[in-house]
Amino acid sequence: MSNLETLISRYAIGEPLSGAEREQVERELERGAEANEMLATEHRLTELLRMANPLPAIDYDKLAQRISANIPQSPMIAAKTAGASADAMENPDRRAIFSWPKLALAASVLIAAGVAVPLLTRDGETTSGVGGLSSPSPTNIAVVTVRAVDGGTPIAATSGGVSTVTVGPSRALAERPGTVGNANAATSRPSNVSISGDGGGSDNPLAPR
Amino acid sequence: MEQVANNFVPEENSVPEIAGRIGPEITHPTSSNMEAGPSDGLLVARVLRGERSAFDVLIGRYQRQAVAVSYRLLGNSHDALEVTQDAFLKSFNSLTQLQKPEAFGGWLMRIVSNLSLNYRRGRKTRSKSQLPLDDILTNGGNSESAGSGEWSTALAEPSHVLESREMGAKLQESLAALPEKQRLAILMFTIEQMPQKDVAEALHCSVEAVKWHVFQGRKKLKEMLKEHL
């Protein structure tokens, strides 16, 4: 395809030509039969394409009725979109607020915040316990007297009764209160049960002394 | 054959896109956006609000174009009517996904062309439509070859009679040999005279790409049909 043929083809289908190109085409069309024959070929191709395959005769009123009958009459789409989408369609600014990319971005920020806040709290040596369970100090819950029993026969305590039982977080937790806030389990299941006798110091009152 | 080709005397008035119109975008006089009435965007918004009757206006506005595009891709009026019905139903059910309501026409044509191409690929394994469509085809749809499902070379106006079936077959063979986008671009822009922006929407490409596809497709067609032009 020559340059002139290309130009005339572009001219024929409405491609934008530069000023110089357009001048060249018009000059050639005025001057020579060759350019006019090329343009006529373009016309014939268009004519051929449009005329060779006519549409069948169709009753479009009936077709419209048929198509319409296949479409649900109930406002299905309105129910799906609950009015907001219709408004959004007419108001692009509002639609932009609820666009999927923005929703996805917002969700990402929330997830990131959910992960970051506990981590920052942990590093910050601050504790805000839940229901007092995070108290780093052992809690004295009872003062009891224990007597060991074997086969129903009382055994006399050898060094007096156990006097105190303390329940609370382990010593390590007590020394690092910043970690307590991260897991309620650490406070609700204390690792430290301390049972001591009157002047003893043994955790096991039944242990031989 | 030569005689048939010589019968094609170009008429300037019948080729609106050639008639001295040069510019960044061409809009054919028959394009839908020149019709009176509410815009496509407004009609789509009404449908989304639940005003079902607004969709009937869209059906009336685009049904002929949908049938034409489908028919020219499938070559069979029954199939084209079935695809057209499916396309409108799918567009109704997917209307909330339409990003640009004012581009409904191009979007619908994309659905039509995709359904048509899928239909054609699966036609051999599909049974005949059970829908009663014969009453829609007036005169039995006899612009097609009788019952063959083949393209016809008959013409709507006697003054432009194209006598040779061989010529029509050659044209279809040439169109079918084009890459899909070039074929669709020529079908929608040159034959159906859709606005370039609607064709761009239908082909999911830019207006510049539409011009390129049309140009390249025509170049190949001229080569393939040079004996008849």
Side-chain angles (χ1 to χ4, degrees), chain A residues 37-72:
Chain A
E37 181 55 34
M38 289 175 185
L39 188 58
T41 300
E42 297 290 342
H43 288 207
R44 280 196 294 270
L45 176 61
T46 300
E47 191 92 342
L48 183 63
L49 286 167
R50 289 185 185 159
M51 292 171 56
N53 296 295
L55 293 178
I58 288 173
D59 185 338
Y60 284 105
D61 289 338
K62 276 188 183 174
L63 177 60
Q65 289 170 10
R66 186 71 54 85
I67 294 170
S68 185
N70 283 340
I71 307 263

Side-chain angles (χ1 to χ4, degrees), chain A residues 42 50-51 53 77 90, chain B residues 49 72 92 155 172 222:
Chain A
E42 297 290 342
R50 289 185 185 159
M51 292 171 56
N53 296 295
I77 289 178
E90 288 186 313
Chain B
R49 273 199 218 105
R72 294 188 196 289
F92 180 80
L155 291 173
Q172 288 315 312
K222 278 185 287 184

Side-chain angles (χ1 to χ4, degrees), chain A residues 11-12 42-43 46-47 50-54 56-57 59-60 66 68 70 72 76-77 81 89-90 95, chain B residues 14 17-18 49 52 56 63 72 85 92-93 96 99 132 135-136 143 152 154-155 160 172 190 218 222:
Chain A
Y11 175 88
E42 297 290 342
H43 288 207
T46 300
E47 191 92 342
R50 289 185 185 159
M51 292 171 56
N53 296 295
D59 185 338
Y60 284 105
R66 186 71 54 85
S68 185
N70 283 340
M76 181 177 61
I77 289 178
T81 57
M89 285 293 196
E90 288 186 313
R95 181 175 56 182
Chain B
S14 67
E17 92 272 25
I18 298 174
R49 273 199 218 105
R52 166 66 181 75
D56 288 340
Q63 61 172 343
R72 294 188 196 289
Q85 292 185 85
F92 180 80
N93 288 333
T96 53
Q99 295 294 311
D135 59 327
I136 292 174
S143 65
S152 165
L155 291 173
H160 293 146
Q172 288 315 312
T190 303
R218 288 178 68 100
K222 278 185 287 184

Side-chain angles (χ1 to χ4, degrees), chain A residues 2 5 8 13 26 40 85 96 110 117 129 131 157 161 164 167 175 182-183 193:
Chain A
S2 68
E5 196 175 355
I8 286 179
I13 64 173
E26 290 173 349
S85 292
L110 285 174
V117 166
T164 60
V167 178
E175 289 171 355
N182 291 330
V193 176

